[in-house]
Amino acid sequence: MKPMKIKDGVTKLGAVHFERRLFDSLIPLPAGTSYNAYLVEGSEKIALIDTVDPMKLDVLMEQLNDVPKIDYVVSNHSEQDHSGSIPFVLEKYPEAKVICTPKAKTFLMDLLHIPEDKIDTVEDDERISLGDKTLRFIHAPWVHWPETMFTYLEEDNIIFTCDFLGSHLATSELFAEDECLVYNSAKRYYAEIMMPFRNFIEKNIDKIKSLKIDYIAPSHGPVYNKPQFIFDAYNSWVYDEPKNIVVIPYVTMHGSVKAMVDYLTAVLSQKGVVVKPFDLTVTDLGELAMSLVDAATIVVGTPTVLAGAHPQVIYATYLANALKPKTKFLSIVGSYSWGGKTIDQLSSMITNLKVEVIPPVFIKGLPKEEDYKLLDELVDNIVKKHKEANIK
Ligand code: FEO
């Protein structure tokens, strides 16, 4: 992509990675992603804010062909998709200094072997003048690493937030024009990356509330020229009560669990509950994570394998626990042939979730008439709990 002007002296650089499909060897990227860098040219000094994943170094270096000097390379976040090209930028501009938080300094030295004398740290609320433009640094720890910060360009009311408020969305558009598409990608991003840090999000949004912000420029996805759009979305994801939704991640081996899940889905939906079943053998884990943002209840469905839950159910349960959604209730349904410790095993894996556990339904073989009655009781229990918690 070619550089794109946001305002006079402020240009979006970086690379759009349309074809990338996996991040951190973990996170699916159905819509690709981008690594945005920003060039801020003041009357006296020039700053580059963040860089790109080294996989796209050539794109950034070509964009810098006509940039005669860089005084500062601001590293808002040390993860390598943004910082990984800093050593190459320093090679091209040996006079440049890296600007980051004190915590980030050690990360950059450890992860990228950037020499200590190349790094200047900034305190919270410290400013650097570029002449007629001023960069103000706002420490924003734990969105999503301990060293993260935002950079606010005071004269232009632009805040550069790196990962925070971003989206894994490859698009040729500079601004978030297609709000439906961006909303979905930003929600997926929130669910996978930011949701475990909900408490810190609240603190960091409070910190920037008083700033006049015309543009939010994250380092993934398009720039927000209507900042309220993404603030409203985060308000809903972070603060709203969960909705009348039951998410059912499950695996079936010979059809018993599938029969239970199908029955639950049919009866719950008859009672007005939105049900989202996910067969984990074919599920995009990002879709599952997104569904957890709003779900009031999770029902895990598993067969018994080697005396425990199916490994894919264990994986999904581990992820759900790590993502810490605001889900209020959890239950388990499953089937066995001759025994096992599945319930104990799964129950021990959800210590991060502040959920009330609704009694599981664990049956022998294919569900029989009396088993469907137990599932009816589970449905009644879920509906009652949602009503009592005023979940709509
Ligand atoms: Fe986009 Fe935490 O890196």
Side-chain angles (χ1 to χ4, degrees):
M1 298 294 291
K2 295 288 178 203
M4 292 177 170
K5 178 179 165 181
I6 300 174
K7 290 186 84 174
D8 284 345
V10 187
T11 310
K12 176 174 175 262
L13 307 180
V16 183
H17 206 157
F18 288 99
E19 67 281 16
R20 190 166 182 182
R21 286 294 172 268
L22 195 63
F23 192 82
D24 285 350
S25 301
L26 173 68
I27 296 167
L29 299 176
T33 190
S34 70
Y35 324 106
N36 308 337
Y38 297 93
L39 194 71
V40 182
E41 296 170 273
S43 54
E44 292 169 20
K45 307 251 184 189
I46 297 176
L48 177 69
I49 299 179
D50 292 320
T51 65
V52 297
D53 191 295
M55 282 188 274
K56 291 287 181 183
L57 173 67
D58 56 329
V59 178
L60 178 65
M61 293 318 255
E62 194 182 329
Q63 293 167 337
L64 293 175
N65 267 343
D66 298 329
V67 179
K69 69 156 187 167
I70 285 177
D71 299 283
Y72 304 113
V73 181
V74 176
S75 178
N76 280 329
H77 175 31
S78 312
E79 194 166 1
Q80 291 91 328
D81 50 324
H82 310 292
S83 69
S85 294
I86 291 177
F88 305 98
V89 173
L90 292 178
E91 255 177 47
K92 181 173 166 70
Y93 301 100
E95 73 287 358
K97 283 283 187 169
V98 178
I99 306 295
C100 63
T101 63
K103 181 82 98 187
K105 178 176 175 177
T106 58
F107 286 14
L108 292 172
M109 290 168 62
D110 288 339
L111 297 174
L112 298 166
H113 298 175
I114 295 176
E116 186 169 12
D117 63 1
K118 285 282 179 195
I119 303 174
D120 283 347
T121 61
V122 284
E123 295 304 317
D124 188 25
D125 220 26
E126 195 171 327
R127 290 164 172 81
I128 285 181
S129 172
L130 306 179
D132 59 353
K133 293 189 189 293
T134 312
L135 300 178
R136 176 173 165 190
F137 304 103
I138 300 165
H139 287 198
W142 290 111
V143 287
H144 62 125
W145 280 15
E147 92 306 0
T148 41
M149 74 171 181
F150 308 147
T151 300
Y152 179 58
L153 178 53
E154 293 189 321
E155 291 77 6
D156 294 294
N157 306 324
I158 302 175
I159 191 157
F160 302 93
T161 55
C162 201
D163 278 344
F164 188 55
L165 307 174
S167 60
H168 277 315
L169 174 61
T171 171
S172 60
E173 291 185 308
L174 173 59
F175 296 120
E177 306 288 1
D178 184 342
E179 291 195 344
C180 185
L181 178 67
V182 178
Y183 182 93
N184 213 43
S185 295
K187 184 173 186 180
R188 174 183 276 264
Y189 192 86
Y190 164 78
E192 293 165 335
I193 311 283
M194 294 291 162
M195 188 157 66
F197 305 100
R198 270 186 294 134
N199 294 341
F200 295 96
I201 289 173
E202 186 172 357
K203 285 181 194 141
N204 286 315
I205 286 187
D206 278 352
K207 245 180 139 172
I208 59 173
K209 253 185 192 160
S210 59
L211 302 176
K212 180 166 173 18
I213 296 172
D214 294 333
Y215 299 91
I216 296 172
S219 291
H220 292 294
V223 173
Y224 301 99
N225 53 352
K226 296 173 204 140
Q228 203 54 44
F229 158 73
I230 193 66
F231 281 136
D232 288 346
Y234 264 67
N235 273 336
S236 158
W237 302 332
V238 175
Y239 303 119
D240 282 0
E241 283 295 305
K243 298 185 170 59
N244 191 22
I245 297 171
V246 174
V247 168
I248 312 180
Y250 73 95
V251 169
T252 194
M253 289 167 71
H254 299 288
S256 302
V257 174
K258 178 80 165 68
M260 298 175 85
V261 170
D262 285 350
Y263 188 78
L264 278 176
T265 303
V267 182
L268 278 165
S269 54
Q270 263 175 0
K271 302 211 172 204
V273 180
V274 175
V275 190
K276 298 185 180 180
F278 290 93
D279 175 348
L280 293 171
T281 61
V282 292
T283 288
D284 167 344
L285 286 172
E287 291 287 333
L288 175 60
M290 279 170 81
S291 75
L292 295 177
V293 171
D294 305 312
T297 296
I298 303 170
V299 177
V300 178
T302 186
T304 304
V305 184
L306 300 173
H310 189 283
Q312 282 190 280
V313 171
I314 291 174
Y315 181 46
T317 306
Y318 173 86
L319 278 182
N321 185 59
L323 293 174
K324 301 183 190 168
K326 55 193 178 189
T327 306
K328 286 184 181 289
F329 307 103
L330 184 139
S331 191
I332 302 166
V333 297
S335 173
Y336 64 96
S337 292
W338 59 86
K341 294 193 177 297
T342 302
I343 302 290
D344 291 345
Q345 181 189 37
L346 293 179
S347 300
S348 70
M349 292 179 62
I350 54 168
T351 49
N352 282 342
L353 300 180
K354 297 190 171 31
V355 290
E356 179 183 336
V357 176
I358 299 175
V361 177
F362 222 64
I363 65 164
K364 198 163 191 300
L366 266 174
K368 300 173 270 304
E369 202 177 327
E370 63 266 29
D371 299 322
Y372 285 113
K373 284 190 184 134
L374 294 175
L375 291 174
D376 284 331
E377 280 173 29
L378 174 58
V379 167
D380 289 345
N381 231 334
I382 291 170
V383 171
K384 181 165 155 262
K385 295 283 179 196
H386 282 202
K387 268 202 184 120
E388 284 170 359
N390 203 23
I391 285 164
K392 294 170 186 146

